[in-house]
Amino acid sequence: MDLDVVNMFVIAGGTLAIPILAFVASFLLWPSALIKIYYWYWRRTLGMQVRYVYHEDYQFCYSFRGRPGHKPSILMLHGFSAHKDMWLSVVKFLPKNLHLVCVDMPGHEGTTRSSLDDLSIDGQVKRIHQFVECLKLNKKPFHLIGTSMGGHVAGVYAAYYPSDVCSLSLVCPAGLQYSTDNQFVQRLKELQDSAAMEKIPLIPSTPEEMSEMLQLCSYVRFKVPQQILQGLVDVRLPHNNFYRKLFLEIVSEKSRYSLHQNMDKIKVPTQIIWGKQDQVLDVSGADMLAKSIANCQVELLENCGHSVVMERPRKTAKLIVDFLASVHSTGNNKKL
């Protein structure tokens, strides 16, 4: 074989080997970096752009796609210890002609974290209202979506600022008062009584605890490699003290039942989406909300846990689009 041909194959092999070795090294040695690259790539693929906006010296980080039009803009609020990118799995199945905005909640990811910030549900609602006004998102009423803690904030927001919101989707929201506690809440109360709140199940600090949290939040049993579990832990570890402070604030007497206390003030058309096998927040909360909110429809998902957005993204997107079409249909009944 000609020497030049041999050299060509060597160079080609080396060119291919470099990215492959880099990927393997990242997977084994720096899985947290790989996770960040993954989200960056997914945002780019879906056309989501990251921007920052300021209220005085407070920074909000958000991603968006599209522009405001005759259809309502959609603001999406993530859950506890998550970030704006958790919505990407749903964004993938939403029409590209919708104006979407996903914001990092107070203290999360790229949004300001301050020791002076009010992390109560009321405090978070006020911060999100500041964000809305910075973007002038309420120039025309928008559709508000929130899941878990974000659902708690979204529901209270709709009660406090009814003119801002034209419709509401709550995905297994926190903030309701149940007649009986499920196993997860009972476990939390036992931890509180024993002063062992450093072991909050939603704040893992080892790969094993991360695996347990994923099993708690999901009905579907994901097989996650040890390296990825380690990467997920590495990404979260620097923030665990903040998560603990936030968690204790939102389960305090001031905040724990804020949605329950305000649900009868929600006047906009509301959609409730809940996984029937939710182990974190009992699905019976959907019936509570339906009885208190006048214009409310409930969608219960079979074989689905608390992480509805991750477990059933296509179904979640379809339910949201169908709900928006039914509520905001035009004169000729065109769907979104």
Side-chain angles (χ1 to χ4, degrees):
M1 185 180 289
D2 190 275
L3 189 58
D4 289 338
V5 177
V6 174
N7 286 338
M8 181 183 71
F9 276 108
V10 170
I11 293 169
T15 303
L16 288 172
I18 290 170
I20 292 171
L21 288 172
F23 176 85
V24 172
S26 296
F27 183 74
L28 296 175
L29 302 176
W30 306 289
S32 59
L34 194 61
I35 290 168
K36 291 179 180 179
I37 292 170
Y38 167 76
Y39 281 125
W40 171 84
Y41 177 77
W42 204 2
R43 281 197 306 269
R44 186 179 177 87
T45 301
L46 295 176
M48 297 293 287
Q49 301 179 56
V50 175
R51 294 288 185 274
Y52 298 88
V53 69
Y54 296 86
H55 175 81
E56 297 175 351
D57 60 346
Y58 193 89
Q59 172 182 281
F60 293 98
C61 179
Y62 68 100
S63 60
F64 77 98
R65 187 174 76 186
R67 294 182 178 181
H70 66 280
K71 297 168 184 174
S73 297
I74 299 177
L75 175 60
M76 311 173 90
L77 308 182
H78 64 75
F80 171 78
S81 76
H83 47 75
K84 59 187 176 298
D85 292 332
M86 73 161 287
W87 291 107
L88 292 175
S89 56
V90 173
V91 168
K92 177 181 178 181
F93 299 107
L94 290 174
K96 291 187 177 179
N97 63 345
L98 294 176
H99 177 223
L100 308 177
V101 179
C102 305
V103 63
D104 285 326
M105 297 293 282
H108 290 75
E109 197 77 3
T111 292
T112 294
R113 179 179 300 173
S114 168
S115 58
L116 302 176
D117 215 7
D118 180 2
L119 297 174
S120 69
I121 295 301
D122 274 14
Q124 293 191 61
V125 168
K126 289 172 185 173
R127 281 296 188 196
I128 295 302
H129 187 243
Q130 290 170 357
F131 171 73
V132 164
E133 295 204 310
C134 284
L135 286 192
K136 296 182 171 56
L137 201 59
N138 54 354
K139 190 173 183 180
K140 191 175 81 170
F142 58 89
H143 180 71
L144 182 58
I145 303 175
T147 183
S148 197
M149 180 191 77
H152 194 170
V153 173
V156 177
Y157 188 104
Y160 285 6
Y161 303 103
S163 62
D164 282 9
V165 181
C166 61
S167 50
L168 179 68
S169 291
L170 302 179
V171 184
C172 47
L176 298 174
Q177 187 170 4
Y178 296 87
S179 55
T180 57
D181 296 331
N182 65 8
Q183 288 185 353
F184 172 70
V185 175
Q186 289 174 8
R187 184 179 172 190
L188 284 180
K189 288 185 174 180
E190 289 170 3
L191 290 173
Q192 282 180 310
D193 292 341
S194 64
M197 286 305 278
E198 70 276 1
K199 291 294 183 182
I200 298 169
L202 297 179
I203 309 177
S205 56
T206 67
E208 292 71 28
E209 289 174 359
M210 174 60 70
S211 180
E212 289 173 7
M213 187 188 80
L214 293 177
Q215 290 183 32
L216 171 68
C217 294
S218 303
Y219 174 78
V220 178
R221 291 293 176 255
F222 297 106
K223 292 183 179 179
V224 184
Q226 183 74 9
Q227 289 87 352
I228 295 298
L229 289 172
Q230 185 64 60
L232 292 170
V233 170
D234 290 346
V235 168
R236 295 171 61 100
L237 272 177
H239 310 289
N240 276 358
N241 286 337
F242 165 75
Y243 293 152
R244 190 168 291 105
K245 179 182 177 183
L246 171 62
F247 187 85
L248 294 176
E249 185 63 56
I250 62 179
V251 300
S252 68
E253 188 175 342
K254 178 182 178 182
S255 292
R256 181 177 294 179
Y257 304 128
S258 291
L259 178 56
H260 200 104
Q261 293 157 0
N262 288 282
M263 59 185 175
D264 59 341
K265 299 173 188 172
I266 299 173
K267 305 303 179 186
V268 296
T270 301
Q271 173 187 50
I272 309 298
I273 303 174
W274 217 303
K276 279 191 175 182
Q277 284 73 36
D278 192 335
Q279 299 177 78
V280 178
L281 299 169
D282 195 83
V283 66
S284 61
D287 189 51
M288 270 189 257
L289 289 165
K291 288 177 179 176
S292 296
I293 302 173
N295 189 353
C296 182
Q297 70 179 52
V298 173
E299 305 286 352
L300 303 182
L301 304 185
E302 294 281 357
N303 302 323
C304 184
H306 186 65
S307 301
V308 171
V309 172
M310 303 301 294
E311 294 182 78
R312 304 290 288 280
R314 185 191 295 270
K315 181 66 173 178
T316 301
K318 184 180 187 305
L319 290 173
I320 291 168
V321 169
D322 289 348
F323 176 69
L324 287 171
S326 67
V327 171
H328 305 291
S329 56
T330 58
N332 58 2
N333 269 340
K334 278 187 179 178
K335 286 197 171 185
L336 290 173

